[in-house]
């Protein structure tokens, strides 16, 4: 199973009464279908996964499955603290037609989540999952740092096909690509390093900022694959600032406001995530305005 | 509402088929009822809270409510990531007759969980909860450090009556007691510092190791309150090593094995928590043997 | 060699022209000689050791040697990054009549300062030193955490007789005392935990706050040794707040201002340490006023 | 003053008796003179700066000044803990003909080294220094993280002309370039991210691995400046692994052994830095062999 290109880490829209706005979610996907996105991650960190009930998650999974255009790859975020529950969710995602599952490490009992404990967890999940498993490295949220050596051991499992690497550390992504060999696929989770990671062996990206700027992210991927590194580098510079502000600094609320700015439905996050202040909104507006200005300048120049 | 004395942070026993063994849970509580424990925390970190479904949690809450002797205070662990879900669980615990709720901070989106965001979360929960709220500081699991100044701001809320402080930092517990004034109650979450914290203003302890050694923990509390600091200090020395090994180092699996050693039903933890190795079991056996030997020596001497 | 009781970690006074005020330094020591202090640490972190030239350090060592009353134990801070230079400084301190050397771990190349590298460093220093060696654990400054197991390995060296443990972690100090056996001496480096550490096996303390409140620190030691834990605990409560504010929070500048407040010569720190703001000075004045008020109250009560 | 291109962070060779081998140091520089290196950093972290006396440092500075070819820019590492001593060393470096000074932050009293304290230190040094000042961000050694906002404030000082940014965080280097405006020069301190940093605004690099592979580092710079991003990217991939192993993982001892492998004089580090094990040497040999093999392959292909 090939995971190449840009995957949007979808947000979860909420209705004014706080329930999940499945209609808005569907509308966003229909628009993304027209882009060059390779697929969608449904129920990642950007989706406020830990603030949703499993009932809500199942409806979101079903909606995305129906709304996604043929050929779009669907990856379900299915990892929770319990090994058994992670296995159960992975089975349900597979039953709904998802192509792979993305499994974040259990992390609440941090001092007990030794490399050995995490390895046992991932092997149990991968043994049981009807669809391929992606590891998920996001130490800024989990406090769990995955090393290249550890990843390489798990990469030998036939049902563990790759990793979403969101630490932002270019060297680590490169080291993982190097240690794990050709079959193992590294999807970078940070748009700030997309071009660089692609040149160092990543096969694509799973990006929150692709919810606001899907075409720009896809262009970086395509320019890099086409060998047009000059253009890829220019585009990388363009996405850097919005990516830092929107996804890196402001999280799901930032991504959602960025979506509102460019015509998707974003809306508010669930509490305890705070709604944005006016100053934060202004930073996002400026960052997006700059992208648009630079795009125009590059168009004029070419 | 007075929270004085020692509260056991109860474990969750599992049957061989992996389901919650409510009968064993009830039997443990019936035995604890005969001790001097002030009450129980039901569904704290020691209970493997994040590995249980809410259906299981509700049955555990109900069982503890039925089994607890009159006069034992019942505190429900009710905090999850979502503010709304935390409010819902608090209401359900109150409806089941729990005396207070213990609310750990949302922590998944760490960089976004600013002091302001956490304050808003706790105020919303405390505004809505029918029963008093305890803060819960356990940075080794959550990655969220609570400062004395921040706690003091929340202590002004009439429905926030105290904190379980599990960082192990004696100075912090003392600073909280000092900053928050007389009405606010600090329950220390680490048996290693019980006597010291009591002398510095803590009103009691919520202790995992009290599942194995309830009498010893209660004796430390009583000797301190009676002003017999010589005896309190001797007992503190006795509990230090088992507390470090069992609760500090080995977590829920360690507490459970310690319970098995002294005649309660402990059993195995849920995955991804690992079962203990033989070497780990031996460390627990040694630590408990030492307590028993020291107890005999102290008895002979007195 | 017995290291029992309270050692003041002396500050370095500076003259208005920025040079070391050896006369003021001598006057402070003469006053301390009249107290129950067991001795002095000369050129520890509190002395702004890293801001002094070795020429200045030698003059300070010589002055303290001359000024110290007979029977006061003198410990020289002699650790620097280089193993060879640490050995040379230790030899010079011994030649000047110092009783022991306190050696902080080399820490600049943190990722390279593995337990093995640090063990080799300390063994080389201890092999060569004409006087006994004390380890120095102060992770808040060095970023180097020493574990009880690691300390226990070094404690087997006949010329390594103890440790100054300044992490503030009561459990760690207790674990070190436990792991290292009777001959090894743990001096706690934090007044906030003095009484507790003494009950758990520490033989004394090396305290910055003893520069301002030597009698109070000595009284805690003496009451504990006399088995009067009630009084020791009361005194411990009294020293907690000034110790946190003066030494924990404000460092050498705080200790110096505290000394000025109670009649010793403190003065200003060297840059880049900042002079205190008025608000910081007020915090120190309040903390000291509270100690004096409590002392009066306790005197009246007894 | 323009700092463009690649600067080697020179190592300090030692003679068998442990003294500084100035003759070997000179020979290395004479060979580097023939390369495309823009200049040298003399007494950086790679030089084992904290293990040298100032007498040794002065002789090393003098030797480098004599040996460096005309046109090579010389940057002196002159930062120590004391503000006054840093000013004195900067003046001496300037008097010896150095073009700029590189000033690492004081970091021993970490909790006291607030942004305000560090700003005051750097302003004092920059006010006094006869030559321009470079900031130095290397949190893995100092524990001090510099933010882009903080750097931007200091960038307004007319005598602070740039920063060596060694954190390895590509986004941070980009953010600094963005925040500080055109005149401020960012030299990246990690070869692993050289090409990427150059495309995001860095003006060059100060690289330890340039002691072993100066031509390769210079080629990356030149290809990037020439707009040949395809070649720059290929070369970046080539340098990644040796840079990680030699400089990132093994530090000064690794750089020195790498130099020995390719014909410079490296030699052993000073204690407490450990000499390399055979396994570590093998890793370096493999990493360098791979570079050479890839270079041959690329040559054949072109």
């Amino acid at each position: 199973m090939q995971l190449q290109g840009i995957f949007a880490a979808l947000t979860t829209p909420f209705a004014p009464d706080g329930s999940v706005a499945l209609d808005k979610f569907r509308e966003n996907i229909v628009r993304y279908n027209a882009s060059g996105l390779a697929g969608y991650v449904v129920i990642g960190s950007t989706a406020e996964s830990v603030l949703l009930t499993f009932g809500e998650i199942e409806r979101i999974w079903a909606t995305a499955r129906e709304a996604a255009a043929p050929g779009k790859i669907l990856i379900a975020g299915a990892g929770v603290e319990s090994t058994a529950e992670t296995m159960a969710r992975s089975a349900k995602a597979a039953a709904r037609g998802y192509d792979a599952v993305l499994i974040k490490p259990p992390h609440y009992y941090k001092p007990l989540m030794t490399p050995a404990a995490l390895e046992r967890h991932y092997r149990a999940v991968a043994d049981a999952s009807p669809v391929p498993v992606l590891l998920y490295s996001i130490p800024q949220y989990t406090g769990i740092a995955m090393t290249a050596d550890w990843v390489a051991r798990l990469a030998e499992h036939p049902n563990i096909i790759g990793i979403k690497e969101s630490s932002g550390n270019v060297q680590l992504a490169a080291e993982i690509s190097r240690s794990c060999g050709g079959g193992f696929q590294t999807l970078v989770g940070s748009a700030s390093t997309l071009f660089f990671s692609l040149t160092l062996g990543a096969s694509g990206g799973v990006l929150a900022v692709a919810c606001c700027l899907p075409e720009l992210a896809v262009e970086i991927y395509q320019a890099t694959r086409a060998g047009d590194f000059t253009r890829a580098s220019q585009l990388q510079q363009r996405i850097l600032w919005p990516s830092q502000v929107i996804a890196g600094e402001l999280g799901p609320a930032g991504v959602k406001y960025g979506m509102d700015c460019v015509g998707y439905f974003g809306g508010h996050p669930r509490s305890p995530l705070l709604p944005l202040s006016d100053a934060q909104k202004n930073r996002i507006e400026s960052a997006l305005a700059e992208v648009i200005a630079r795009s125009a300048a590059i168009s004029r120049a070419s």
Side-chain angles (χ1 to χ4, degrees), chain A:
Chain A
M1 164 157 210
Q2 297 299 306
L3 299 173
Q4 304 202 340
I6 304 301
F7 296 77
L10 299 182
T11 59
T12 303
F14 296 112
D17 68 356
S19 65
V20 177
L22 291 173
D23 54 336
K24 299 298 184 187
F25 183 63
R26 180 190 313 268
E27 288 168 25
N28 286 339
I29 293 175
V30 169
R31 289 194 47 195
Y32 294 138
N33 282 338
S35 74
L37 289 171
Y40 312 114
V41 166
V42 188
I43 307 301
S45 301
T46 308
E48 303 170 54
S49 54
V50 296
L51 307 179
L52 301 169
T53 68
F54 187 59
E56 290 173 329
I57 288 171
E58 287 203 290
R59 288 191 289 279
I60 292 168
W61 278 347
T63 303
R65 177 66 287 174
E66 293 162 18
K72 300 293 184 191
I73 295 172
L74 283 178
I75 302 171
V80 290
E81 288 290 327
S82 154
T83 306
E85 176 70 6
T86 300
M87 289 161 68
R89 290 192 179 193
S90 297
K92 285 179 184 164
R96 287 190 180 280
Y98 278 71
D99 299 296
V101 288
L102 176 65
I103 306 296
K104 68 171 178 264
H107 55 274
Y108 184 68
Y109 300 103
K110 275 179 212 7
L112 304 167
M113 291 299 101
T114 57
L118 290 172
E119 183 171 343
R120 203 178 74 143
H121 173 80
Y122 274 111
R123 287 191 184 279
V125 172
D127 285 347
S129 175
V131 292
V133 168
L134 285 165
L135 310 178
Y136 186 5
S137 161
I138 183 163
Q140 55 273 50
Y141 286 169
T142 62
I144 303 286
M146 297 179 174
T147 65
D149 283 352
W150 183 87
V151 173
R153 275 207 308 282
L154 281 173
E156 292 171 6
H157 191 292
N159 206 27
I160 299 180
I161 64 164
I163 187 169
K164 177 182 175 194
E165 213 297 292
S166 298
S167 74
N169 181 330
V170 180
Q171 291 105 305
L172 178 60
E175 216 181 323
I176 289 173
S177 299
R178 177 189 176 87
S179 303
C180 295
F184 192 78
Q185 300 172 87
T186 301
L187 297 170
V188 67
S190 150
S192 306
T193 60
L194 176 57
F195 164 53
F196 313 135
S197 300
L198 291 171
T199 67
L200 296 172
S203 68
V206 174
L207 304 176
V209 82
C211 293
C212 316
L213 300 168
E215 293 82 4
L216 178 53
V218 169
E219 275 186 279
I220 294 174
Y221 176 79
Q222 290 174 340
T224 309
R225 284 291 170 261
D228 186 351
F229 285 9
T230 303
R231 179 163 174 74
S233 168
Q234 284 175 326
L235 298 168
Q236 176 66 58
Q237 290 172 56
R238 243 197 288 169
I239 209 168
L240 189 76
W241 191 235
S243 166
Q244 284 184 338
V245 172
I246 292 172
E249 183 183 322
L250 298 173
V255 177
K256 286 179 156 186
Y257 186 69
M259 291 171 69
D260 285 328
C261 288
V262 296
Y264 296 94
F265 182 88
H268 291 296
R270 276 197 175 160
S271 182
L273 293 175
L274 293 178
L276 299 186
S277 67
D278 285 346
Q280 291 172 323
K281 288 182 180 175
N282 284 343
R283 279 170 65 75
I284 290 176
E285 290 162 18
S286 303
L288 289 172
E290 195 176 299
V291 170
I292 293 160
R294 285 208 201 179
S295 297
I298 290 175
S299 296
R300 277 195 303 276
S302 64

